[in-house]
Amino acid sequence: MKKTILVFTLLIVSLYIIFRISKYSLILGGTSMEFVITIIAIVFFIVGIYINKKSLHKPQNISKDINHKKIKALEITSREYEVLQAISKGLSNKEIAEKLFLSESTIKTHVSNLLVKLNAKRRTQAVQIAKDHKIL
Amino acid sequence: MKKTILVFTLLIVSLYIIFRISKYSLILGGTSMEFVITIIAIVFFIVGIYINKKSLHKPQNISKDINHKKIKALEITSREYEVLQAISKGLSNKEIAEKLFLSESTIKTHVSNLLVKLNAKRRTQAVQIAKDHKIL
DNA sequence: AGATGTTTGGTACTTTAGTATGAGGCCGAT
DNA sequence: ATCGGCCTCATACTAAAGTACCAAACATCT
């Protein structure tokens, strides 16, 4: 947001500068009109591309923002979320247990709770639902 | 590619038109210089945004092209691929069987073959590996 | 201190998933 | 027509996954 304001401020300022330059060059006579126009065209062309790149990169980042709210809304605890991430990586309960230094029983408990909270019947479905909610 | 050429052609033509208009208005006297410059700025600003949007939309489509080659490289048959897609949607073997009008035994065979071809130990891992290969 | 919620773990059980093996039918290439 | 690859299905297993229920340890908030 702050960057957008900054960019537009620069745009206005540059417009003002161009006005001055163009008038100055006209008064001094002869400095080609085409040159000034071409410069303006190129500058704003580049600025247009730059602005657009920023706005189109956002969607990729937004997905990282949405999740936290949903996770809380679904009442998924931090430990459960860790397990969910491990599941999405294709790990078995035993592997998850080893990774988190827990017993397989604990993982099963977490998985069971996850399935209820995500309204899923299987871990594969849980992953799919989680991705739909953009929490993965 | 053809569109890009067309757009740039239009750009060059519009630049030429602007040259004419600016000179014409200056000869006729007084028509404000600032107005012409602002128009130029806006036009090229918009064109810049348009061009960039086209080029940034491509990456989303590329991912759809990669898969077919990989699927063949991994020797995954069409039926197996159907099963793989169903797995990624979180369906159980029984559900997949009903969806494809097959017996659960057949699905199990397909899944087993898939796991070997994808070098996975579990269906969840298969999904993950498949997405890494961008065949899902 | 007591209530609450998270994390951890266990037992016992049912249900899926996955493996191994065999086999019949189908289709395209040789 | 025979061969190979694919699809189909079955049986008999073993191994995971998942459910239900319980319970202790812990932190936090009141």
Side-chain angles (χ1 to χ4, degrees), chain B residues 7-122:
Chain B
V7 168
F8 273 98
T9 307
L10 282 174
L11 265 179
I12 293 164
V13 170
S14 57
L15 248 184
Y16 175 75
I17 292 171
I18 287 166
F19 288 160
R20 278 301 180 91
I21 290 172
S22 61
K23 278 186 180 175
Y24 186 69
S25 63
L26 282 174
I27 290 166
L28 283 179
T31 332
S32 68
M33 188 62 204
E34 283 85 350
F35 182 72
V36 176
I37 289 175
T38 306
I39 293 295
I40 296 165
I42 290 172
V43 167
F44 278 82
F45 182 66
I46 290 170
V47 169
I49 288 174
Y50 179 77
I51 291 274
N52 199 248
K53 188 167 275 177
K54 287 284 168 183
S55 68
L56 281 182
H57 271 307
K58 283 180 181 176
Q60 298 175 341
N61 301 331
I62 287 173
S63 60
K64 290 181 181 176
D65 298 320
I66 296 175
N67 56 8
H68 302 298
K69 304 164 194 169
K70 272 280 177 180
I71 292 171
K72 286 177 185 173
L74 293 169
E75 296 182 320
I76 293 173
T77 66
S78 59
R79 213 52 164 160
E80 284 164 359
Y81 187 63
E82 284 184 83
V83 173
L84 180 59
Q85 288 177 316
I87 290 174
S88 75
K89 288 175 184 168
L91 301 181
S92 68
N93 289 338
K94 188 182 280 182
E95 286 170 342
I96 297 170
E98 287 168 4
K99 188 184 177 186
L100 300 180
F101 305 104
L102 297 174
S103 80
E104 199 182 334
S105 304
T106 308
I107 305 301
K108 281 189 178 185
T109 306
H110 287 319
V111 172
S112 261
N113 291 333
L114 268 172
L115 295 182
V116 172
K117 290 175 182 178
L118 285 170
N119 195 29
K121 289 175 184 172
R122 283 163 294 282

Side-chain angles (χ1 to χ4, degrees), chain A residues 77-79 103 106 110 122:
Chain A
T77 66
S78 59
R79 212 52 164 159
S103 82
T106 308
H110 287 320
R122 284 162 294 281

